[in-house]
Amino acid sequence: MLIRRERADDAAAIAAVHRSAFGPQCANGDDDRNEVAELTGEPADQGAADPPEVDLVTRLRSDSGWIPTLSMVAVEYDTVIGHVCLTRAGVGPFPVLALGPIGVLVEHQGNGVGAAMMHAALGAADALDEPLIGLLGSLDYYPQFGFVPAARLSITPDEPTWISHFQVRPLAAYDSQITGEFQYAEPFYDL
């Protein structure tokens, strides 16, 4: 498996990854989508429609928060099997990053692809001297990558219902003055 930057010709394969990862067939115990859906008010079962992550990635690509160098794919035998992206976010006046979506084709889940992409994304952000990454996600999965409840660092999501699952990962350039309300790139609010 290779993890590399997204290329323009990867768009359809990335959409297929998120369709697989977040579609209705993905109802296993490792998927925290239903838990997060309850928090955001989003319907958990999307039926035949594309899950919102497919449109989110498309809309993020045309948003000012898009950072092309931080959109990565996992490739196995010339096939895109996973995708993760980091986009510009903010905590008060401080620029930070938001992680997500991250997805792996269902048939490749549980084989370390997601973990490898997480490590690649964290390493890339750290190398770019980014101070912090925020995400809304599973309290069982993300702490293994150094994510902690955001409230511990005096950071709160701008959507109060997200507070229980909102986490941050401080990086080497983190400064304890980064406190306040976390704001995602605009497309996250149109889900």
Side-chain angles (χ1 to χ4, degrees):
M1 178 182 64
L2 167 74
I3 297 175
R4 63 163 170 78
R5 282 179 58 178
E6 170 186 341
R7 296 188 301 231
D9 62 348
D10 291 328
I14 289 169
V17 163
H18 292 299
R19 205 171 281 121
S20 172
F22 296 103
Q25 78 282 0
C26 190
N28 60 46
D30 295 330
D31 179 21
D32 64 320
R33 179 164 171 68
N34 290 336
E35 184 177 359
V36 173
E38 284 179 27
L39 295 167
T40 62
E42 172 187 328
D45 184 357
Q46 298 295 313
D50 273 347
E53 291 79 3
V54 174
D55 185 51
L56 175 61
V57 172
T58 300
R59 292 195 356 241
L60 283 169
R61 283 190 189 105
S62 61
D63 186 81
S64 63
W66 183 251
I67 305 170
T69 56
L70 295 177
S71 179
M72 295 175 257
V73 293
V75 180
E76 186 175 74
Y77 305 111
D78 296 323
T79 300
V80 173
I81 62 171
H83 174 253
V84 61
C85 65
L86 295 162
T87 52
R88 180 61 59 211
V91 174
F94 301 99
V96 299
L97 296 174
L99 188 138
I102 179 171
V104 177
L105 290 174
V106 169
E107 59 270 21
H108 291 276
Q109 291 178 2
N111 296 324
V113 176
M117 288 191 311
M118 283 294 299
H119 288 297
L122 292 170
D126 207 26
L128 293 172
D129 289 327
E130 294 290 344
L132 179 126
I133 299 171
L135 64 76
L136 180 65
S138 171
L139 299 174
D140 296 324
Y141 183 72
Y142 293 104
Q144 69 182 309
F145 304 105
F147 283 86
V148 297
R152 285 190 195 165
L153 299 180
S154 300
I155 297 172
T156 58
D158 60 354
E159 174 54 54
T161 59
W162 296 349
I163 198 157
S164 64
H165 285 71
F166 189 72
Q167 303 166 65
V168 294
R169 168 61 152 83
L171 300 171
Y174 171 71
D175 183 328
S176 61
Q177 292 181 16
I178 301 174
T179 62
E181 192 172 78
F182 185 98
Q183 292 192 323
Y184 282 96
E186 194 59 38
F188 282 95
Y189 299 100
D190 297 330
L191 289 175

